């Protein structure tokens, strides 16, 4: 069962427009630090898209008729001992950065750090599987974003999201996801 | 994706995933907006205002479109025209306009709307040359322009003829100006 | 047989008026009213408005058949009262004893439908004169069908 730690939403220019922590145990950093963090992510994502060798870019990503992730050659995910981070991008350039826990209930050994760097395929498969698991969460988050943020007439595009309904619905969604 | 699969996708979305509203409420709401604008501005200004309103709607509506359909980038402008007419219009207005009149370079096409839910029961006032100046459904032009701009296509959308004005058909023309390459989000090739 | 249709607004103002004759029995729909009779008709209709307003509170119905007559049944008036207090009044002059009360009722019901459609036009304000030619044509078509 994956636990969602936090969600960051970045606008097209890379500025942070939404940030929320869902786990009370996380240490708080200042707002400025959040902005810096998101700026770094945006930059690294763009740089990665230029560095990625053409052979590593899949021609079609799992053609799921639910959400098309336009993040083909940019930074897709980061895995550490403590958390996993996934970056999704919509066709309009909005990035959703999801930070989740390491999946404890997994049949394959999750020691990605110490795994053989040549064995791309196995870690690749597990990364893809984890992306698939977060896919369903992301689809729902994107639907909530398009409903409660976009349809709020007082919300200006690319600005920080200050919509109470979006917060509420998001918290409900994450809660329902964390409960087995 | 083929044309047939677009049709089945849009039928499925319209049936299951879209909230519906009474068409008369919708028509009357839009009608009262236009009527009030006509009282406040001249007909030329009303056209601009409707287009602006549509533009703002389009910027936001496009996310809803992607959230519901999950489609990816279209491969060509022809593909775009199919998606607009078969899925976009079907999802939001339950109509399927026909795509015709492609220009030689493939950058312009027309949408012919057979019936327009915005104009049910509407008759333009016979005075003050409303029939010569007002494009009643101009909001649709703005919506299309806004949506296409969010996917990095700079287009001009305008009405060519309108049944309300006495023309035989309602026709909108879409012209692709350029593909905004600089604004394509990083990570897409 | 000649008819005169008048739509009267909530402030007793006429919104639409049409005179026509019967289309039955190969008549061409031209009214047979002469100039003097034509001048009198708006007065007749206006004076009958009070009667309608009395009747509407006495009876719980909105179609009044032959509620008034003029000159010893020379002219008879029927009225359909819409739910927005608009009066669709038909003045009919009997030249012979054609029984067509039902037709009048259906005619007025159809005129009500046309009126509702006019109300749905966003450019039309309540109590405004109906200037649309389309409405005129449709009324004439309905008249051809029923009267």
């Amino acid at each position: 069962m994956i636990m969602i730690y936090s969600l960051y939403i970045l606008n097209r220019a890379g500025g942070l427009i939404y940030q929320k922590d869902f786990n009370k145990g996380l240490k708080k950093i200042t707002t400025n630090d959040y902005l810096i963090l998101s700026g770094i992510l945006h930059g690294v994502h763009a740089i990665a898209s230029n560095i990625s060798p053409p052979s590593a870019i899949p021609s079609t990503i799992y053609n799921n008729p639910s959400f098309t992730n336009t993040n083909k050659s940019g930074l897709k995910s980061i895995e550490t001992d403590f958390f996993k981070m996934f970056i999704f991008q919509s066709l309009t350039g909005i990035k959703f950065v999801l930070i989740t826990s390491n999946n404890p209930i997994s049949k394959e050994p999750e020691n990605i750090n110490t795994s053989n760097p040549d064995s791309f395929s196995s870690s690749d498969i597990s990364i893809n599987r984890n992306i698939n698991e977060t896919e369903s969460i992301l689809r729902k988050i994107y639907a909530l974003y398009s409903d409660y943020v976009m349809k709020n007439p007082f919300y200006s595009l690319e600005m920080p999201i200050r919509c109470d309904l979006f917060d509420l619905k998001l918290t409900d969604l994450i809660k329902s996801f964390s409960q087995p | 994706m083929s044309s047939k699969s677009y049709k089945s996708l849009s039928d499925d979305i319209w049936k299951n995933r879209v909230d519906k509203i009474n068409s008369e409420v919708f028509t009357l709401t839009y009608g009262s907006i236009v009527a009030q604008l006509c009282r406040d501005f001249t007909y030329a200004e009303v056209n601009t205002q409707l287009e602006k309103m549509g533009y703002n709607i389009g910027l936001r509506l496009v996310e809803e479109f992607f959230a519901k359909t999950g489609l990816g980038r279209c491969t060509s402008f022809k593909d775009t025209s199919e998606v607009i007419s078969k899925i976009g219009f079907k999802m939001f207005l339950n109509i399927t306009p026909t795509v015709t009149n492609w220009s030689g370079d493939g950058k312009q096409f027309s949408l012919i709307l057979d019936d327009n839910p915005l104009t049910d029961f509407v008759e333009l006032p016979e005075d003050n040359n409303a029939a010569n100046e007002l494009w009643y459904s101009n909001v649709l032009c703005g919506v299309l322009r806004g949506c296409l701009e969010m996917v990095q296509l700079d287009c001009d959308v305008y009405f060519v003829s309108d049944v309300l004005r006495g023309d035989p058909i309602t026709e909108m023309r879409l012209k692709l100006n350029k593909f905004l390459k600089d604004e394509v989000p990083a990570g897409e090739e | 047989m000649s008819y005169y249709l008048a739509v009267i607004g909530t402030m007793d103002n006429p919104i639409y008026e049409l005179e026509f004759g019967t289309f039955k029995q190969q008549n061409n729909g031209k009214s047979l009213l002469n100039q003097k009779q034509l001048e009198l008709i708006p007065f007749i209709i206006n004076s009958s408005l009070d009667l309608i307003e009395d009747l509407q509170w006495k009876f719980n119905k909105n179609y009044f058949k032959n509620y008034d007559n003029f000159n010893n049944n020379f002219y008879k008036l029927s009225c359909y009262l819409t739910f927005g207090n608009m009066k669709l009044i038909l003045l009919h002059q009997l030249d012979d004893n054609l029984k067509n009360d039902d037709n009048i009722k259906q005619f007025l019901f159809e005129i009500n439908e046309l009126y509702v459609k006019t109300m749905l036009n966003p450019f039309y304000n309540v109590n405004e004169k109906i200037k649309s030619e389309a409405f005129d044509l449709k009324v004439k078509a309905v008249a051809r069908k029923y009267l």
Side-chain angles (χ1 to χ4, degrees):
Chain A
M1 209 56 229
I2 300 182
M3 283 234 353
I4 309 218
Y5 287 157
S6 47
L7 170 73
Y8 295 67
I9 303 183
L10 282 75
N11 65 11
R12 287 202 279 183
L16 183 69
I17 56 176
Y18 187 75
Q19 183 278 329
K20 193 156 179 74
D21 292 326
F22 299 109
N23 192 328
K24 294 192 186 51
L26 294 171
K27 190 168 151 203
K28 280 270 174 212
I29 56 177
T30 67
T31 330
N32 220 13
D33 284 341
Y34 282 127
L35 288 167
I36 297 176
L37 189 63
S38 56
I40 295 176
L41 275 171
H42 175 80
V44 169
H45 170 92
I47 293 175
S49 69
N50 280 327
I51 298 183
S52 303
S55 52
I57 300 172
S59 51
T60 51
I61 292 210
Y62 21 87
N63 254 334
N64 221 333
S66 53
F67 177 66
T68 299
N69 186 2
T70 58
N71 193 357
K72 285 191 189 149
S73 55
L75 178 68
K76 280 195 253 187
S77 71
I78 296 180
E79 290 199 31
T80 73
D81 280 343
F82 299 106
F83 67 88
K84 283 199 182 88
M85 177 193 284
F86 299 97
I87 302 186
F88 299 87
Q89 189 174 242
S90 79
L91 266 110
T92 52
I94 307 284
K95 279 194 267 298
F96 293 85
V97 181
L98 204 62
I99 301 189
T100 71
S101 67
N102 263 326
N103 195 342
I105 312 168
S106 162
K107 299 209 174 90
E108 284 173 50
E110 286 283 286
N111 305 344
I112 307 292
N113 273 351
T114 58
S115 68
N116 196 336
D118 289 341
S119 62
F120 278 133
S121 46
S122 65
S123 55
D124 211 36
I125 292 173
S126 72
I127 289 176
N128 274 343
R129 205 176 35 147
N130 288 330
I131 294 180
N132 284 339
E133 278 164 345
T134 48
E135 173 95 7
S136 58
I137 308 176
L138 186 83
R139 199 188 330 146
K140 297 194 182 114
I141 294 181
Y142 189 49
L144 285 181
Y145 171 76
S146 78
D147 278 339
Y148 294 102
V149 177
M150 283 288 126
K151 291 186 188 146
N152 182 351
F154 299 112
Y155 167 71
S156 341
L157 262 64
E158 315 275 309
M159 288 289 121
I161 296 176
R162 301 234 181 285
C163 310
D164 291 331
L165 268 179
F166 180 62
D167 281 330
L168 252 135
K169 294 280 168 181
L170 199 58
T171 341
D172 286 342
L173 173 72
I174 303 295
K175 234 181 255 176
S176 70
F177 227 86
S178 315
Q179 279 157 13
Chain B
M1 279 175 93
S2 70
S3 190
K4 274 214 181 93
S5 57
Y6 281 152
K7 190 167 178 321
S8 56
L9 173 66
S10 66
D11 282 338
D12 170 57
I13 294 177
W14 168 255
K15 251 187 251 156
N16 305 330
R17 290 193 252 166
V18 168
D19 290 330
K20 314 248 185 347
I21 184 181
N22 180 321
S23 72
E24 276 165 18
V25 169
F26 180 64
T27 308
L28 286 174
T29 308
Y30 182 68
S32 52
I33 293 176
V34 178
Q36 188 60 45
L37 283 174
C38 288
R39 280 189 273 264
D40 294 339
F41 300 111
T42 66
Y43 288 123
E45 287 165 350
V46 172
N47 287 339
T48 344
Q49 291 293 330
L50 285 176
E51 215 267 346
K52 263 197 233 171
M53 280 166 57
Y55 178 72
N56 285 314
I57 294 176
L59 294 180
R60 293 149 186 277
L61 205 62
V62 70
E63 302 275 3
E64 159 97 3
F65 176 79
F66 285 124
K68 290 243 156 65
T69 59
L71 286 172
R73 199 167 277 284
C74 290
T75 47
S76 63
F77 197 50
K78 244 190 165 69
D79 203 20
T80 310
S81 72
E82 290 290 306
V83 170
I84 292 176
S85 85
K86 293 212 164 51
I87 307 189
F89 271 93
K90 172 84 183 164
M91 231 172 96
F92 292 114
L93 294 174
N94 200 22
I95 55 175
T96 320
T98 26
V99 176
T100 53
N101 278 351
W102 276 98
S103 71
D105 54 5
K107 287 200 174 170
Q108 298 188 36
F109 66 92
S110 293
L111 281 168
I112 314 257
L113 289 93
D114 291 323
D115 71 299
N116 186 352
L118 293 172
T119 59
D120 285 340
F121 306 117
V122 175
E123 277 174 37
L124 290 183
E126 282 163 30
D127 49 323
N128 300 344
N129 22 301
N132 291 336
E133 291 181 19
L134 178 68
W135 294 118
Y136 187 83
S137 317
N138 214 26
V139 76
L140 294 176
C141 294
V143 171
L144 283 175
R145 184 168 74 92
C147 284
L148 289 169
E149 194 171 296
M150 286 299 270
V151 284
Q152 299 92 36
L153 291 166
D154 176 21
C155 291
D156 281 337
V157 189
Y158 52 94
F159 267 98
V160 175
S161 66
D162 193 358
V163 172
L164 285 184
R165 281 196 179 193
D167 304 320
I169 50 168
T170 308
E171 184 178 342
M172 285 168 71
R173 194 131 184 93
L174 271 96
K175 184 164 81 112
L176 174 66
N177 292 333
K178 56 182 193 275
F179 180 63
L180 301 161
K181 213 156 189 319
D182 319 326
E183 293 185 28
V184 175
E188 275 193 87
E189 73 278 27
Chain C
M1 174 140 45
S2 317
Y3 300 94
Y4 193 89
L5 171 72
V7 178
I8 311 286
T10 58
M11 302 200 277
D12 295 342
N13 52 328
I15 287 174
Y16 178 78
E17 287 164 309
L18 179 69
E19 70 163 298
F20 57 98
T22 184
F23 290 94
K24 292 222 170 84
Q25 299 183 341
Q26 280 129 1
N27 286 9
N28 59 355
K30 274 193 101 91
S31 82
L32 302 165
L33 303 163
N34 62 31
Q35 184 67 10
K36 275 208 177 135
Q37 291 173 320
L38 206 53
E39 284 173 356
L40 206 50
I41 287 180
F43 288 106
I44 301 175
I45 293 183
N46 228 314
S47 65
S48 72
L49 291 177
D50 286 336
L51 266 167
I52 301 178
E53 278 163 26
D54 277 339
L55 286 173
Q56 84 184 91
W57 300 115
K58 270 198 202 141
F59 299 103
N60 192 14
K61 56 180 183 167
N62 61 344
Y63 171 66
F64 300 103
K65 186 179 70 170
N66 291 343
Y67 67 95
D68 191 20
N69 60 64
F70 179 75
N71 206 1
N72 254 349
N73 278 344
F74 187 58
Y75 296 123
K76 283 203 177 138
L77 287 97
S78 305
C79 168
Y80 182 98
L81 191 67
T82 75
F83 297 105
N85 213 18
M86 305 294 272
K87 304 170 183 68
L88 313 173
I89 300 179
L90 186 69
L91 179 146
H92 38 108
Q93 176 200 45
L94 282 111
D95 290 330
D96 44 33
N97 283 328
L98 263 184
K99 278 239 161 84
N100 58 352
D101 295 335
D102 251 353
N103 285 358
I104 293 182
K105 181 175 182 182
Q106 282 167 337
F107 173 75
L108 283 176
F109 269 63
E110 290 259 336
I111 300 291
N112 182 36
E113 294 286 314
L114 289 176
Y115 174 71
V116 166
K117 291 212 176 80
T118 311
M119 285 294 277
L120 286 174
N121 180 7
F123 292 108
Y124 173 76
N125 305 312
V126 186
N127 270 337
E128 204 183 52
K129 277 198 190 302
I130 300 181
K131 298 188 210 118
S132 145
E133 279 176 26
F135 181 77
D136 198 34
L137 284 168
K138 282 186 206 148
V139 169
K140 288 185 179 144
V142 173
R144 188 163 315 189
K145 192 164 140 197
Y146 286 113
L147 295 172

